[in-house]
Amino acid sequence: MQRSSIHQIVRNASGESQPARQLYDVAAIEAVFQQSRERERGLSLLMLSTADGRAVAEDSSLGVDGRRLAAMANSFLTLGETVSRELALSDADYATICTKLGNVVLIRIAADKPLTLTAVASHEVNMAVLLFHARECANRLDAVLRDRAA
């Protein structure tokens, strides 16, 4: 038996799941991203990742490592959700990061398995506009994900 076959058997036996991209209609997700970036040219990154921090799809003009970003973005959103619960507030709808060079919005999408949408825009796009487009993108992604599940 070849080493790659043994590695595959060990991976499957250890419970390691298949790549996140294989579980979703990546072409449909990327089409939603493209539509969002056409509607708002200032969006520099849209990424969908699993709740455990694995990248599903990404549309970016930034030179970032999507795998690392997926893990960090999900952790940040999860922390925001935890802070919200600890303060006895309602569930967090989204989390934001604001900087002088741009802004980030992280939104949880409650599909069959929770997903995280990360949206980034340069400082030319104000936070309200970024939030509007990120929420609109999340709603369209939710519809695409539900269509596939049906």
Side-chain angles (χ1 to χ4, degrees), residues 1-12:
M1 190 180 291
Q2 292 182 347
R3 183 173 174 85
S4 61
S5 298
I6 293 170
H7 180 69
Q8 185 68 31
I9 291 168
V10 170
R11 274 191 16 207
N12 290 340

Short mmCIF file of all heavy atoms in Angstrom, two decimals, residues 1-12:
data_model
loop_
_atom_site.label_atom_id
_atom_site.label_comp_id
_atom_site.label_asym_id
_atom_site.label_seq_id
_atom_site.Cartn_x
_atom_site.Cartn_y
_atom_site.Cartn_z
N MET A 1 0.85 -1.17 0.00
CA MET A 1 0.00 0.00 0.00
C MET A 1 0.89 1.24 0.00
O MET A 1 1.87 1.31 0.74
CB MET A 1 -0.89 -0.02 1.24
CG MET A 1 -1.97 1.02 1.22
SD MET A 1 -3.05 1.01 2.69
CE MET A 1 -3.94 -0.50 2.48
N GLN A 2 0.56 2.22 -0.81
CA GLN A 2 1.37 3.43 -0.90
C GLN A 2 1.18 4.30 0.33
O GLN A 2 0.15 4.26 1.00
CB GLN A 2 0.98 4.23 -2.14
CG GLN A 2 1.35 3.54 -3.42
CD GLN A 2 0.96 4.41 -4.60
OE1 GLN A 2 0.23 5.38 -4.48
NE2 GLN A 2 1.47 4.04 -5.77
N ARG A 3 2.18 5.11 0.61
CA ARG A 3 2.15 5.99 1.78
C ARG A 3 0.95 6.93 1.74
O ARG A 3 0.31 7.16 2.74
CB ARG A 3 3.45 6.79 1.84
CG ARG A 3 3.55 7.68 3.04
CD ARG A 3 4.94 8.31 3.11
NE ARG A 3 5.02 9.27 4.17
CZ ARG A 3 5.30 8.98 5.43
NH1 ARG A 3 5.51 7.74 5.78
NH2 ARG A 3 5.38 9.92 6.33
N SER A 4 0.60 7.47 0.55
CA SER A 4 -0.54 8.39 0.46
C SER A 4 -1.85 7.68 0.82
O SER A 4 -2.73 8.27 1.42
CB SER A 4 -0.64 9.01 -0.93
OG SER A 4 -0.83 8.01 -1.89
N SER A 5 -1.98 6.41 0.47
CA SER A 5 -3.18 5.65 0.83
C SER A 5 -3.26 5.45 2.33
O SER A 5 -4.32 5.57 2.93
CB SER A 5 -3.18 4.28 0.13
OG SER A 5 -3.21 4.46 -1.26
N ILE A 6 -2.12 5.15 2.94
CA ILE A 6 -2.08 4.98 4.40
C ILE A 6 -2.45 6.29 5.08
O ILE A 6 -3.24 6.32 6.02
CB ILE A 6 -0.69 4.49 4.86
CG1 ILE A 6 -0.45 3.07 4.35
CG2 ILE A 6 -0.56 4.56 6.37
CD1 ILE A 6 0.96 2.58 4.55
N HIS A 7 -1.88 7.39 4.58
CA HIS A 7 -2.19 8.71 5.15
C HIS A 7 -3.69 8.99 5.05
O HIS A 7 -4.29 9.48 5.99
CB HIS A 7 -1.39 9.79 4.43
CG HIS A 7 -1.65 11.17 4.94
ND1 HIS A 7 -1.26 11.58 6.19
CD2 HIS A 7 -2.30 12.22 4.37
CE1 HIS A 7 -1.63 12.83 6.37
NE2 HIS A 7 -2.27 13.24 5.29
N GLN A 8 -4.29 8.67 3.92
CA GLN A 8 -5.72 8.91 3.72
C GLN A 8 -6.54 8.07 4.71
O GLN A 8 -7.49 8.56 5.30
CB GLN A 8 -6.13 8.57 2.28
CG GLN A 8 -7.57 8.90 1.96
CD GLN A 8 -7.83 10.39 1.96
OE1 GLN A 8 -6.97 11.19 1.63
NE2 GLN A 8 -9.02 10.78 2.35
N ILE A 9 -6.17 6.82 4.91
CA ILE A 9 -6.89 5.94 5.84
C ILE A 9 -6.76 6.47 7.26
O ILE A 9 -7.74 6.55 8.00
CB ILE A 9 -6.37 4.50 5.74
CG1 ILE A 9 -6.77 3.90 4.39
CG2 ILE A 9 -6.90 3.64 6.89
CD1 ILE A 9 -6.06 2.60 4.06
N VAL A 10 -5.56 6.86 7.65
CA VAL A 10 -5.34 7.39 8.99
C VAL A 10 -6.13 8.67 9.19
O VAL A 10 -6.78 8.86 10.23
CB VAL A 10 -3.83 7.63 9.25
CG1 VAL A 10 -3.61 8.39 10.53
CG2 VAL A 10 -3.09 6.30 9.27
N ARG A 11 -6.14 9.56 8.18
CA ARG A 11 -6.91 10.81 8.29
C ARG A 11 -8.38 10.51 8.47
O ARG A 11 -9.05 11.09 9.31
CB ARG A 11 -6.72 11.68 7.04
CG ARG A 11 -5.51 12.54 7.13
CD ARG A 11 -5.45 13.60 6.05
NE ARG A 11 -6.69 13.82 5.35
CZ ARG A 11 -6.76 14.26 4.11
NH1 ARG A 11 -5.66 14.50 3.43
NH2 ARG A 11 -7.91 14.47 3.54
N ASN A 12 -8.92 9.60 7.66
CA ASN A 12 -10.34 9.26 7.76
C ASN A 12 -10.66 8.59 9.08
O ASN A 12 -11.71 8.85 9.68
CB ASN A 12 -10.76 8.37 6.59
CG ASN A 12 -10.78 9.12 5.28
OD1 ASN A 12 -10.83 10.34 5.26
ND2 ASN A 12 -10.70 8.40 4.17
#
